[in-house]
Amino acid sequence: MKRVFLIVIDSLGIGSSPDAYKFNDVGANTFGHIVEKCFLGKVNIGRKGALYIPNLVKLGIMHALQKSTKKNLLGCHNNSHIIGSYGFASEISSGKDTTSGHWEIAGVPVLDDWFYFSQKNNSFPENFLKKIINVSKLTGFIGNCHASGTDIINNLGEEHIKTNKPIIYTSSDSVLQIACHEVFFGLSNLYALCKKVRLFLDQEKYKVARVIARPFIGINKSNFQRTGNRRDFSIKPFSTTVMQKLINEKMGQVIGIGKVSDIYSGVGISKYIKATGLDELCNITIDEIKKSDTNTIIFTNLVDFDSNWGHRRDISGYARGLEFFDNKLSQIIDLVKDNDLLILTADHGCDPTWKGTDHTRENIPILIYSPNLEKKFLGHRKTFSDIGQTIAKYFLLSPMQYGESML
């Protein structure tokens, strides 16, 4: 029986990548800075002391961090017995966003630039907005700027409720985000609007990675909060992912947990399981591993690390999340059988100690565990696509266009 359990710890970068200077991210180190802050006793909200992640450590994450940074960092102890293979990878895709990272992991790097709404204010051109308003039969939008999702809801949520005008905003990523109230505007209406905008962008040849529905609830800015009903309406992958190959060549199954299906626009996903919150994501992953059969990929994205703690620069929250996940990881490791592959990785960085609120251009860890797999250093991988190529070779699929197998 052959199965792959692919878990993306969203945004867990392990040190700035060789091209980080292009993104003003030289020195960013999501995991390393969290380890240091914990070791120094500066991250004690809801937890205390040095970061306690024994399962990630025995899979080799501290070794991967030291190899990536070429430094001995405070709190980075690597004297545990290693049970898996470890390495790190740099990205060849042009962006440091969720879509680019995930697609490259699946063997489809994004080598051309996405379309970005780069102006901080009046981010969406007037003519562009007029066309969307006409297509969607709206009276208008509010917002139209770069913004933090929580801040813009607090600032414009009451106006949105009064006017029924959706809040539209963006960031340094290739995204168009629309926030609406679940009750006053309606969740189904928000989804329908985002689908129309996605269709418009595709028809007009705007290469925007994602249209994101950001529903929220509450009566006023004192109690507005985003809900777990976020949905991403992504552009479709430009070529065949390793998941599609498994389905097409081996009649295999790909179980997408969390926002995985949205990231690939449903392409190459046999079964989509909605889940929100780290606890639910971990529990569903464990349940699906127990039920899964041969020629199956269980693909989980742990979004909270990015959306709840990375972007919000919440070091304590990120550390608590890592310790919570590490506890669940012991159950996952116990379920890995002789011919299975467990692969832990990330899609980019989002250093909670870094300036601003954007992603950071970083190397990512690659931790691979199987009881029968040789324990070794996997080296510095030149592209995330080595993960996709490894999965393709493991399932005896036709080779991917990018990447080299680590097996």
Side-chain angles (χ1 to χ4, degrees), residues 10 67 129 131 205 263 276 309 392:
D10 200 317
K67 294 289 188 181
L129 281 182
K131 288 182 179 179
K205 308 299 183 186
I263 293 168
T276 57
W309 305 313

Side-chain angles (χ1 to χ4, degrees), residues 3 271 273 284 286-293 298:
R3 305 179 299 175
K271 178 182 176 184
I273 303 176
I284 289 176
I286 291 167
D287 288 343
E288 290 300 315
I289 290 173
K290 291 176 180 177
K291 295 187 292 186
S292 62
D293 203 349
I298 295 175

Side-chain angles (χ1 to χ4, degrees), residues 97-99 117 124 149 166-171 173-180 190-191 193-195 197-198 201 208-215 226-227 229-235 259 262-263 303 306-307 311 359:
D97 55 278
T98 296
T99 305
F117 300 100
F124 306 101
I167 303 168
I168 188 170
Y169 63 104
T170 188
S171 70
D173 286 346
S174 178
V175 294
L176 187 157
Q177 304 190 73
I178 303 176
C180 292
L190 172 58
Y191 290 162
L193 171 60
C194 289
K195 285 180 182 177
V197 173
R198 174 79 268 167
L201 292 171
V208 175
R210 290 178 293 163
V211 176
I212 304 178
R214 293 286 196 178
R226 298 198 295 198
T227 74
N229 290 319
R230 161 191 170 155
R231 276 196 62 188
D232 293 26
F233 297 83
S234 299
I235 196 168
K259 71 173 187 175
D262 285 354
I263 293 168
V303 66
D306 187 46
S307 61
H311 283 299
H359 294 153

